[in-house]
Amino acid sequence: MSRLDSAIRRLTSQKIALEWAARKATRMNGIILELGLGNGRTYDHLREILPNREIYVFEREIAAHPDCIPEENFQFLGDFRDSLPRAKKRLGANSVLAHLDIGTGEKQASQQLAEQIGPLVLGLMKRESIIVSDQELTAWSYLRIDPPLNIPKDRIFIYNLV
Ligand SMILES: C[S@@+](CC[C@H](N)C(=O)[O-])C[C@H]1O[C@@H](n2cnc3c(N)ncnc32)[C@H](O)[C@@H]1O
């Protein structure tokens, strides 16, 4: 598969998964978390499909498209391992959807980061909330659910809190 095809598959899977999870999230009251603002593509999509919801973003350093930068009050800057505990103090466990898009291209390091921040993310989530992740979290295997049918296996990982 060419790198173009692979990029298209990844972005299409992300879009399908986020839209599927957003439909579930609309049935619950709570806030949305975007980990890995990057250039703001998925944040922009989330705010389009979940209008009127508070979306908090986490990013080491803002480098997004100028149209895709949330107000400062909705930014948690710095390393996830520092910003997530700060978020817990401010936001509590009130999130109904978290999107982890944290991969940096180094598979092992990204997976290790995901496993490290997993407990911190869980601390922010409400019961029955949904987490969509670009990394597998083996510690959450008991929470894993099948993704929507048209997503290739192991492309996106979806977890449903009980
Ligand atoms: C795949 S990109 C996000 C792409 C973005 N969701 C989009 O659609 O444009 C991953 C992002 O995670 C951020 N990131 C990776 N590790 C991080 C860490 N330990 N703390 C904070 N941000 C981190 C990187 O700076 C990068 O912008």
Side-chain angles (χ1 to χ4, degrees):
M1 182 188 297
S2 73
R3 294 192 64 190
L4 176 63
D5 283 330
S6 172
I8 290 169
R9 257 170 74 135
R10 182 172 58 80
L11 294 175
T12 305
S13 300
Q14 229 172 12
K15 178 174 150 66
I16 294 168
L18 289 180
E19 290 173 0
W20 177 88
R23 280 196 291 280
K24 296 212 169 289
T26 50
R27 295 187 214 128
M28 296 180 264
N29 289 321
I31 57 183
I32 314 297
L33 308 177
E34 165 81 340
L35 274 76
L37 176 66
N39 75 20
R41 269 191 301 244
T42 49
Y43 164 70
D44 193 32
H45 198 62
L46 280 171
R47 68 181 175 179
E48 190 175 291
I49 59 180
L50 287 166
N52 309 317
R53 283 297 175 121
E54 291 188 344
I55 306 177
Y56 290 86
V57 306
F58 296 75
E59 176 56 65
R60 194 190 304 282
E61 197 177 21
I62 298 286
H65 185 282
D67 292 344
C68 301
I69 301 176
E71 288 171 21
E72 270 181 35
N73 199 31
F74 291 91
Q75 300 173 8
F76 282 97
L77 300 187
D79 192 284
F80 297 138
R81 287 161 284 214
D82 300 321
S83 56
L84 286 164
R86 272 188 273 126
K88 171 73 179 182
K89 283 196 189 138
R90 227 181 93 198
L91 307 176
N94 284 305
S95 305
V96 290
L97 169 61
H99 177 220
L100 276 61
D101 193 13
I102 63 174
T104 53
E106 274 193 59
K107 196 170 161 42
Q108 210 182 339
S110 301
Q111 226 167 346
Q112 202 176 5
L113 173 65
E115 301 284 359
Q116 283 174 357
I117 65 172
L120 302 173
V121 174
L122 280 190
L124 286 157
M125 307 306 293
K126 274 180 117 165
R127 281 187 66 192
E128 297 184 17
S129 57
I130 302 275
I131 299 172
V132 174
S133 176
D134 66 339
Q135 308 297 319
E136 180 174 14
L137 277 104
T138 51
W140 293 353
S141 53
Y142 67 105
L143 300 172
R144 190 167 167 190
I145 57 171
D146 286 336
L149 280 181
N150 28 7
I151 295 184
K153 193 174 176 295
D154 290 346
R155 175 68 51 162
I156 292 261
F157 304 88
I158 302 184
Y159 302 94
N160 192 183
L161 272 68
V162 284

